Amino acid sequence: MMNRIVLGVIAVIGFFTLTEALTCNSCQVGVLGKCFFYTKVDCTASQNNCFTAKAEFNVTGFLSLSTSGCTSDCNTTSGSILGAGYTVNKLCCASNLCNGASAVQLSMAGALSTALLASIWSSYML
């Protein structure tokens, strides 16, 4: 009888440990290392890492975009958008809120510009 109780307690603890979702900082788009729309998100079971990614465009050299959130893919990627080459470097970590982000205030024009960049970039990142 005592063995069943001990096994039951272990099973319940294991269930809650396995189903606890990783929480990450999420930023759809940031410019020059600053996040504009920052939130906290719970990752899905298949997304076992938080990440921060930086996309650098080969043509400009100085302009970079960043994003952060949950992922299962921590690989560096490259490609092109409208003929401009880019490289995306991802830094991954596996504990809650380990991909720190900072938020800044935007003007209306800045927010609209950022939203446009985010919609173009996210269509290529997915």
Side-chain angles (χ1 to χ4, degrees), residues 5-61:
I5 293 172
V6 170
L7 288 175
V9 169
I10 291 172
V12 169
I13 291 171
F15 175 76
F16 284 114
T17 302
L18 292 175
T19 59
E20 184 177 319
L22 181 64
T23 301
C24 298
N25 292 303
S26 176
C27 178
Q28 291 299 313
V29 68
V31 178
L32 301 174
K34 299 296 180 187
C35 177
F36 297 110
F37 302 107
Y38 162 76
T39 59
K40 293 180 183 176
V41 295
D42 292 326
C43 303
T44 64
S46 64
Q47 297 172 318
N48 53 358
N49 290 296
C50 296
F51 79 95
T52 301
K54 182 177 180 182
E56 294 180 324
F57 291 90
N58 303 338
V59 174
T60 61

Side-chain angles (χ1 to χ4, degrees), residues 30-95:
V31 178
L32 301 174
K34 299 296 180 187
C35 177
F36 297 110
F37 302 107
Y38 162 76
T39 59
K40 293 180 183 176
V41 295
D42 292 326
C43 303
T44 64
S46 64
Q47 297 172 318
N48 53 358
N49 290 296
C50 296
F51 79 95
T52 301
K54 182 177 180 182
E56 294 180 324
F57 291 90
N58 303 338
V59 174
T60 61
F62 68 90
L63 177 64
S64 65
L65 299 175
S66 58
T67 186
S68 60
C70 303
T71 191
S72 59
D73 177 16
C74 293
N75 296 319
T76 296
T77 58
S78 60
S80 66
I81 297 175
L82 303 173
Y86 67 88
T87 302
V88 177
N89 293 307
K90 282 186 180 178
L91 298 174
C92 291
C93 54
S95 60

